[in-house]
Amino acid sequence: MLLEGPPGLAKTLACRALAAALDGSFKRIQFTPDLLPSDVVGTRVFDQRSGDFTTVVGPVFANVVLADEINRAPAKVQSALLEAMQERQVTIGPHTHALPDPFIVTATMNPLDGDGTYALPLAQMDRFLVKVVVDYPSRSEELAILERFGGEAPAFERHVAGMADVLRWRTQAHGIFVDRRVAAYIVALVGATREPQPYVERGAGPRATLALAAMSRASALVDGRTFVTPDDVRANAAAALRHRITFNYRLLAERIDAEVIVAELIAAVPVP
């Protein structure tokens, strides 16, 4: 899950609250320009007493990993997460180590400050299931924030659900029925991003199709249904597609909001 928004909107707080609610291990990695890949995945250290190399695992070995300000580190460090996010494993030296199950990567990113930041490679963006755009709160919401956090910060709700609950929910979500017409609608939505567009350079790949189907199943499970509706698909389409679409220079030159283009692409596909 990638959270993108201006500073001060509780992106990191939201990730920490999620980790606290789950009864699992949590590690936070502060991404900086001098971070090394070994600081993320781990390294091999020579033990002078035994004469052998010992593997020291990094903070990525946790159920919930928070990559804070992920665009503050160069591509060499960001690529250290590619294998972990896709294969759920990490290769350190000659050995491959499985990551805990379940394994979740949450990341935050500030799109406004360009100094000292690095663009995330498309391969890594595609590995995020969703990208959530966090915008400024309304006046009533900000008043509630002031009343709740104006004094001493409240404690996190801890151990709301265990890892066994997460695995059970995941199995239940996989069993949600997707009608063939709804599946065709998912494919059509992703395919619409690949059609020739004046502002789109490259559309979303098949991973977006799988992600949108998985999110639609999860939405149906949360609503207590055993089947996916087109409304489930439409509600999750923007979060699954916005970070998988590559826009060209015209978008910046004409100062057009990318969210408007994504919304137009979704609206152009007929709902079954």
Side-chain angles (χ1 to χ4, degrees):
M1 176 179 62
L2 177 62
L3 300 180
E4 180 183 276
L9 296 185
K11 300 184 298 295
T12 302
L13 181 65
C15 297
R16 291 177 56 203
L18 171 64
L22 298 175
D23 188 13
S25 55
F26 168 69
K27 294 293 179 63
R28 171 178 173 172
I29 308 172
Q30 187 66 53
F31 275 56
T32 57
D34 59 346
L35 199 69
L36 298 175
S38 58
D39 297 329
V40 177
V41 300
T43 187
R44 287 171 58 81
V45 179
F46 182 72
D47 190 343
Q48 295 182 354
R49 292 175 297 180
S50 63
D52 296 326
F53 282 93
T54 303
T55 300
V56 179
V57 299
V60 74
F61 285 84
N63 294 116
V64 181
V65 177
L66 169 57
D68 203 20
E69 295 288 347
I70 191 172
N71 57 335
R72 292 286 176 183
K76 182 178 181 180
V77 180
Q78 294 175 10
S79 62
L81 287 174
L82 294 180
E83 183 183 11
M85 295 175 67
Q86 181 61 32
E87 283 83 19
R88 301 297 191 267
Q89 65 183 24
V90 168
T91 301
I92 305 175
H95 303 293
T96 299
H97 307 269
L99 293 170
D101 187 24
F103 172 73
I104 306 170
V105 173
T106 58
T108 65
M109 187 169 67
N110 175 13
L112 302 180
D113 189 4
D115 295 335
T117 61
Y118 303 83
L120 266 67
L122 183 60
Q124 183 172 16
M125 293 289 286
D126 195 30
R127 279 166 167 79
F128 282 106
L129 180 71
V130 296
K131 176 184 176 182
V132 179
V133 177
V134 184
D135 204 353
Y136 290 109
S138 63
R139 292 192 176 185
S140 60
E141 292 171 339
E142 195 158 357
L143 179 60
I145 293 173
L146 178 60
E147 293 173 348
R148 185 176 181 185
F149 294 93
E152 184 177 354
F156 289 122
E157 292 289 340
R158 298 189 177 275
H159 311 312
V160 177
M163 292 297 100
D165 296 317
V166 177
L167 295 176
R168 175 168 51 85
W169 295 334
R170 187 172 66 186
T171 302
Q172 291 176 348
H174 289 165
I176 298 297
F177 174 72
V178 180
D179 187 84
R180 188 170 183 83
R181 290 171 295 177
V182 177
Y185 179 50
I186 295 174
V187 174
L189 279 173
V190 178
T193 66
R194 305 171 194 159
E195 298 294 331
Q197 303 285 342
Y199 303 104
V200 176
E201 180 177 341
R202 187 178 299 274
R207 193 180 278 126
T209 305
L210 298 175
L212 184 53
M215 293 171 60
S216 301
R217 286 189 172 102
S219 294
L221 178 64
V222 171
D223 290 342
R225 285 181 278 104
T226 59
F227 56 91
V228 173
T229 67
D231 290 337
D232 295 324
V233 178
R234 195 179 183 91
N236 292 285
L241 297 177
R242 59 165 58 100
H243 59 297
R244 293 182 166 96
I245 301 175
T246 304
F247 297 96
N248 55 30
Y249 70 95
R250 290 186 57 183
L251 192 78
L252 292 176
E254 300 181 20
R255 298 181 178 181
I256 297 177
D257 187 1
E259 291 297 309
V260 175
I261 305 300
V262 174
E264 291 177 352
L265 290 173
I266 296 173
V269 179
V271 180

